[in-house]
Amino acid sequence: MDALVLPFEKIGINDVAKVGGKNASLGEMFQKLKRYGIHVPDGFAVTATAYRLFIQENQLEQFIEKTLSSLDTKNFSNLRKVSETIKSKILKGKLPTELSEKVKGFYEKLNQAEGRELDVAVRSSATAEDLPGASFAGLHTSFLNIRGEKALLKAVKDCFASLYNARAIKYRHDKGFDKHEIALSVGVQMMVRADLACSGVTFSIDPESGFSNAVLITGCWGLGENIVQGAVIPDEFFVFKPSLEKEKKAILSKKLGSKTKTMVYAKGEGVVNLDTSVEKQQEFVLKDEEIQLLGKWAIDIEKHYGMPMDIEWAKDGTTGKLYIVQARPETVQAEKAPYTLDEYTLLEKGKLLTSGYAIGNGITSGKVKILHSPEEADLLKEGEILVTEITNPDWDPIMKKAAAIITAKGGRTSHAAIVAREMGALAIVGAEDALEIFKNGDEITIDNASGKLGKVYAGKLKWKTAQHNFKGMELPKTKPMFILADPEKAFNLSFFPNQGVGLMRMEFVVNNSIRVHPMALVHFDQLEDKEEKAQIEALCQGYQDKKEYFVDKLSQAIGTITAAFYPKDVILRMSDFKSNEYANLLGGNQFENSEENPMLGFRGASRYDHERYREGFRLECEAVKRVREDMGLENLKVMIPFCRTPEEGKKVLKLMGKYGLKQGVKGLEVYVMAEIPSNVILADEFAAVFDGFSIGSNDLTQLTLGVDRDSEILSDLFDENNSAVRWMIGEVIRVANKKGKKIGLCGQAPSDKPEFAQFLIKAGIDSISFNPDALLKGIKNMVEAEKEK
């Protein structure tokens, strides 16, 4: 007979049939990952052979088969009764003496090795678990903080019984697993004292977009069950793999979760969920060096297994050491077809009701149904939107009826998120006010197509869907690039055919993520408006230096977009707010003068070396330097907007050099916007100062024709195809080509007007940048134009 119990040191990834997916992976990691410096707690597995021996000796096989055959497989009306009947019989069974003695012996070996009686985690591991396409997430039961032989043996039998949890029976039926082919192994593993520290879940890719160069890490205080169950909104960190591999700072973003609960060991055995103190809620669970280490481990684990991985980690509060306690294949992105993409666009504006983490890409609408427990399943009608606090595996059959799911708690790695991804359903998790603002019957629209943040709008809004297949798509020689502002969309957009980002707008990040005038952070103590000062104080919580808030937030946003398209060029336009737009930022009124014509006033290059903004520009430069040098993202280039004279350009370059951004050092290229007639007339001189041009067709058209681009009355006159504008564009392209300088154009016209694309390509443009919704149409026009040429 095969072994009843095996130590982790004798188990490998090929032993799924013996010990299940979870234990096979634990043994594999315990044996093979030490060489990477990865810590995995020791333990042993009660094998599938032991489970079958238990079933055989208690004469349960025919009973289980007969009971399962009575299951209503159409409506599952008796699912719970079938489950409870089987589980009750298993729990009354007796563990074979040989098995009990083996378990006690291996437990004693663990105790002897540590010199004390250990707390252990006792985890179920089904022989079909953690396979690609079937995660079995949370279907079987695990027990934490088990101490002593008696409690351990009881937990082993409880795990055996959990093979017939109602949710597990239903899941196996839905996935087409034969009811006799699955057995259950039990993993017994030393507990990491995460109750005194923190724990969480890591994905070696972005689980939403499938972007493979980023690692997602989530964490909460105490035991990680709170994350898996979705009982808390965890901290969230994205780490960039190429930066880690270059031993650079690799953290792309850090988001503080509320972490309202902390799960700790109860006295005796078991666990208890306590309220987290306000101070702890406002503190990140991991230091930067720990985030980097977990990111590095995720890369090593992914390389070892040769596939994207879903990993659980824990930090021991007594030793301060980090551990990997579980790893399984990522089961959703692995199934997706490459080269295909569904694009969703909301066509109407509505009242924004709430938001949370977006799970799944798409838009849907329906009526709200608030449920407080799985027992209320009958109340949910097909196509309604399920709103609840959190979900667990008992909710799985209900979730399949819903058009979408909204939970008040949970993060991107919670149960609701994992199951929604696997079902291909839309979900918004961590919408904290959902249970307060909705009532049954409310008609709402869920928009998960606008980035990592899912938004809920009042009413049934219109949207459109487009399906794209990029396989074999013909691409132009001229570079098609993005005009981009929102870092939340960057990972998804990176899958479109593109040659990078021709224009990243800094203003969007300042306006939406930072919200504070940079000079209000530089001179925070001098702010006169007490209400705005309090708002800024709240935004800067956790930053001792208010200026660091600006640099940190801006560098994370720039870094995310630059990483998404790495190693392709990403050209960042330095800030180009007008004075009236700057004044709308918190604290902005105190640092901005009122101008009659802000469009032609104190904007762009003229601000950067002026005493009214010089220190603000320093912060912008520090953010860029952090991305290029600390993170190693040298594909980031910069561009200077609204530069009126070559002399002004030289002053800006000199100031940038003073702030650590020296043109030419580490490949730093600095471009200038060609958007003022002087940029064209003096193109030879501008070419001597800058590395290239980017034509801003909107401003150049406006200033060439003397037409306010925002005027409805004059809208018929605003035309990039006007011969005067075409001459301007053609001339600056001619000079750039003659001087060997790069030149691109950012604007809508080449996608809207095929003849304009033809004109640009015939003139010799190097690249054309489009808004995301215009890219594919633009590429088509470019391909046709090149054929014409």
Side-chain angles (χ1 to χ4, degrees):
M1 186 172 67
D2 290 337
L4 299 179
V5 181
L6 288 169
F8 283 175
E9 64 187 23
K10 291 190 177 175
I11 300 170
I13 199 62
N14 296 319
D15 294 320
V16 174
K18 292 181 185 176
V19 296
K22 194 177 293 179
N23 287 335
S25 184
L26 280 170
E28 179 79 10
M29 290 193 299
F30 184 78
Q31 287 189 68
K32 307 280 180 66
L33 298 185
K34 285 179 184 174
R35 66 176 181 265
Y36 301 113
I38 297 173
H39 309 133
V40 179
D42 198 1
F44 58 89
V46 178
T47 66
T49 300
Y51 166 80
R52 293 189 181 100
L53 179 66
F54 168 79
I55 295 295
Q56 182 186 329
E57 289 210 358
N58 286 279
Q59 299 179 335
L60 291 173
E61 192 166 5
Q62 285 186 331
F63 173 79
I64 291 170
E65 186 178 343
K66 184 180 176 184
T67 309
L68 281 177
S69 66
S70 71
L71 180 65
D72 170 13
T73 56
K74 186 178 180 184
N75 299 312
F76 295 91
S77 57
N78 63 342
L79 175 61
R80 196 165 295 280
K81 183 183 176 186
V82 166
S83 167
E84 292 304 324
T85 302
I86 297 173
K87 285 167 65 178
S88 174
K89 195 79 169 172
I90 289 175
L91 291 172
K92 287 175 184 170
K94 187 182 177 205
L95 290 175
T97 304
E98 184 186 0
L99 174 58
S100 297
E101 292 305 313
K102 287 276 186 189
V103 170
K104 289 192 283 189
F106 273 90
Y107 178 56
E108 183 54 33
K109 278 184 186 175
L110 280 183
N111 289 337
Q112 286 174 0
E114 292 296 311
R116 59 190 171 91
E117 188 171 53
L118 289 172
D119 303 308
V120 290
V122 183
R123 302 179 187 274
S124 303
S125 178
T127 54
E129 197 161 33
D130 298 337
L131 301 177
S135 70
F136 284 78
L139 296 179
H140 310 114
T141 312
S142 294
F143 301 90
L144 305 175
N145 192 30
I146 300 299
R147 179 183 290 196
E149 293 177 353
K150 186 178 176 183
L152 174 56
L153 293 173
K154 180 181 181 300
V156 168
K157 195 159 64 169
D158 286 339
C159 284
F160 285 169
S162 78
L163 188 62
Y164 295 96
N165 284 341
R167 61 212 186 201
I169 295 171
K170 175 74 165 55
Y171 186 90
R172 289 197 296 271
H173 178 272
D174 291 345
K175 285 288 180 181
F177 285 96
D178 183 88
K179 54 181 175 281
H180 305 303
E181 75 180 17
I182 294 200
L184 196 115
S185 169
V186 179
V188 179
Q189 186 178 34
M190 288 170 52
M191 282 293 292
V192 177
R193 290 305 304 268
D195 64 314
L196 302 176
C198 55
S199 54
V201 177
T202 296
F203 277 89
S204 67
I205 60 172
D206 173 29
E208 286 313 310
S209 65
F211 181 70
S212 60
N213 260 349
V215 175
L216 170 66
I217 300 167
T218 62
C220 67
W221 296 115
L223 305 176
E225 295 298 304
N226 272 336
I227 290 183
V228 177
Q229 293 170 9
V232 298
I233 297 174
D235 292 344
E236 183 179 289
F237 315 99
F238 271 105
V239 184
F240 189 52
K241 292 177 184 174
S243 292
L244 271 177
E245 289 171 332
K246 287 195 272 185
E247 298 188 349
K248 296 281 188 177
K249 289 182 180 176
I251 300 168
L252 294 177
S253 65
K254 296 164 68 174
K255 288 185 180 170
L256 194 69
S258 54
K259 311 181 294 291
T260 50
K261 292 287 183 181
T262 301
M263 189 177 284
V264 299
Y265 296 166
K267 288 180 181 175
E269 63 181 64
V271 296
V272 61
N273 224 1
L274 305 176
D275 290 333
T276 310
S277 69
V278 174
E279 293 75 22
K280 282 284 193 182
Q281 287 182 44
Q282 294 170 353
E283 183 185 337
F284 284 116
V285 298
L286 292 168
K287 299 184 182 76
D288 285 2
E289 55 268 29
E290 292 171 328
I291 297 167
Q292 297 250 135
L293 180 61
L294 285 174
K296 182 178 179 301
W297 285 0
I299 294 172
D300 291 336
I301 292 169
E302 182 182 70
K303 282 181 179 174
H304 178 76
Y305 283 93
M307 65 185 76
M309 298 295 288
D310 169 358
I311 302 158
E312 291 181 23
W313 62 269
K315 181 179 177 180
D316 193 301
T318 56
T319 65
K321 282 172 71 172
L322 286 167
Y323 289 88
I324 299 300
V325 295
Q326 199 175 123
R328 60 177 77 87
E330 188 278 335
T331 58
V332 176
Q333 295 298 333
E335 296 277 288
K336 285 192 176 175
Y339 309 113
T340 62
L341 200 64
D342 291 334
E343 187 181 14
Y344 301 83
T345 309
L346 205 57
L347 300 175
E348 295 180 285
K349 295 274 186 182
K351 182 186 177 186
L352 181 64
L353 300 176
T354 189
S355 60
Y357 293 115
I359 309 300
N361 174 43
I363 300 173
T364 192
S365 64
K367 289 182 178 176
V368 166
K369 179 65 71 174
I370 298 170
L371 299 183
H372 299 286
S373 77
E375 280 69 40
E376 298 176 327
D378 292 344
L379 300 175
L380 183 73
K381 294 175 186 170
E382 198 85 34
E384 288 184 319
I385 294 174
L386 168 62
V387 177
T388 191
E389 185 176 36
I390 61 173
T391 68
N392 60 38
D394 291 329
W395 288 86
D396 291 4
I398 309 163
M399 291 165 74
K400 291 181 180 177
K401 285 169 66 178
I405 304 138
I406 300 174
T407 65
K409 294 183 178 177
R412 252 186 265 275
T413 52
S414 65
H415 169 266
I418 290 168
V419 173
R421 279 190 208 103
E422 196 169 296
M423 294 191 309
L426 295 186
I428 291 180
V429 297
E432 294 182 87
D433 54 357
L435 291 170
E436 285 82 57
I437 63 170
F438 295 128
K439 60 180 187 294
N440 282 325
D442 285 351
E443 191 96 50
I444 59 172
T445 299
I446 288 179
D447 177 14
N448 276 10
S450 302
K452 292 191 176 73
L453 200 67
K455 297 169 184 173
V456 184
Y457 296 99
K460 186 173 183 178
L461 306 179
K462 292 178 184 174
W463 70 88
K464 68 176 181 180
T465 307
Q467 292 184 315
H468 305 296
N469 188 335
F470 305 133
K471 192 166 187 180
M473 184 176 179
E474 191 175 359
L475 297 175
K477 294 188 180 77
T478 309
K479 289 183 176 182
M481 302 179 84
F482 274 114
I483 299 170
L484 203 52
D486 187 356
E488 298 286 302
K489 297 179 181 178
F491 288 171
N492 280 312
L493 291 173
S494 70
F495 289 93
F496 280 77
N498 71 87
Q499 289 295 326
V501 178
L503 170 62
M504 178 188 169
R505 293 190 174 111
M506 185 186 288
E507 302 83 54
F508 179 94
V509 176
V510 177
N511 211 22
N512 290 274
S513 299
I514 297 173
R515 295 170 49 202
V516 185
H517 195 292
M519 297 302 285
L521 297 168
V522 173
H523 300 294
F524 179 74
D525 294 337
Q526 297 168 28
L527 289 182
E528 295 158 6
D529 188 316
K530 289 182 181 177
E531 190 178 325
E532 285 196 327
K533 196 170 185 179
Q535 285 179 270
I536 295 170
E537 190 79 70
L539 284 171
C540 295
Q541 195 166 27
Y543 293 90
Q544 288 185 330
D545 182 349
K546 301 288 187 295
K547 298 188 292 293
E548 173 59 20
Y549 165 76
F550 186 93
V551 176
D552 193 41
K553 291 286 185 186
L554 185 57
S555 63
Q556 285 182 29
I558 297 169
T560 297
I561 290 178
T562 309
F565 294 91
Y566 181 87
K568 300 169 189 170
D569 284 355
V570 172
I571 303 171
L572 170 73
R573 185 175 69 189
M574 304 304 273
S575 65
D576 192 25
F577 278 129
K578 289 77 179 173
S579 55
N580 58 324
E581 294 167 337
Y582 267 117
N584 288 330
L585 296 168
L586 286 172
N589 263 320
Q590 193 172 322
F591 298 96
E592 296 297 331
N593 290 335
S594 178
E595 293 186 288
E596 289 296 325
N597 191 348
M599 187 74 80
L600 296 177
F602 190 43
R603 64 177 283 203
S606 60
R607 295 184 74 94
Y608 301 157
D609 198 23
H610 193 283
E611 61 183 16
R612 295 185 68 88
Y613 191 75
R614 193 177 295 122
E615 286 303 306
F617 185 64
R618 179 200 287 268
L619 301 184
E620 294 181 26
C621 291
E622 283 181 19
V624 172
K625 186 181 176 188
R626 190 169 293 183
V627 174
R628 282 183 52 82
E629 296 187 11
D630 295 355
M631 297 173 69
L633 294 172
E634 292 177 8
N635 58 316
L636 178 65
K637 321 294 184 186
V638 297
M639 182 154 61
I640 306 303
F642 226 76
C643 186
R644 294 169 169 96
T645 67
E647 290 70 32
E648 195 171 49
K650 290 173 186 174
K651 280 173 68 177
V652 170
L653 290 176
K654 185 178 178 183
L655 187 63
M656 286 175 63
K658 182 181 172 184
Y659 293 156
L661 289 178
K662 193 163 180 62
Q663 185 183 27
V665 174
K666 295 183 179 175
L668 176 62
E669 294 179 352
V670 185
Y671 299 88
V672 65
M673 291 292 291
E675 54 191 340
I676 309 170
S678 65
N679 300 140
V680 180
I681 296 163
L682 300 176
D684 274 310
E685 293 177 49
F686 278 103
V689 177
F690 292 100
D691 297 295
F693 298 86
S694 179
I695 302 163
S697 59
N698 283 342
D699 269 352
L700 188 59
T701 301
Q702 172 177 249
L703 295 172
T704 300
L705 298 178
V707 174
D708 181 354
R709 70 189 200 192
D710 297 325
S711 170
E712 288 182 26
I713 299 171
L714 301 176
S715 60
D716 288 346
L717 292 171
F718 187 91
D719 182 13
E720 298 96 327
N721 256 326
N722 181 281
S723 56
V725 179
R726 278 198 176 206
W727 184 89
M728 285 281 187
I729 292 171
E731 176 63 11
V732 75
I733 294 173
R734 183 189 69 78
V735 174
N737 288 339
K738 184 182 78 174
K739 296 287 185 180
K741 300 287 182 174
K742 295 177 184 175
I743 185 156
L745 180 138
C746 306
Q748 194 72 15
S751 62
D752 290 346
K753 302 168 183 173
E755 70 276 12
F756 193 70
Q758 282 181 13
F759 156 67
L760 291 173
I761 285 169
K762 191 175 180 182
I765 199 94
D766 294 317
S767 66
I768 303 175
S769 300
F770 303 94
N771 288 315
D773 62 351
L775 177 76
L776 295 177
K777 192 177 172 189
I779 287 175
K780 184 181 174 187
N781 287 345
M782 290 168 75
V783 169
E784 288 173 1
E786 287 183 350
K787 286 176 181 173
E788 289 285 329
K789 183 182 176 183

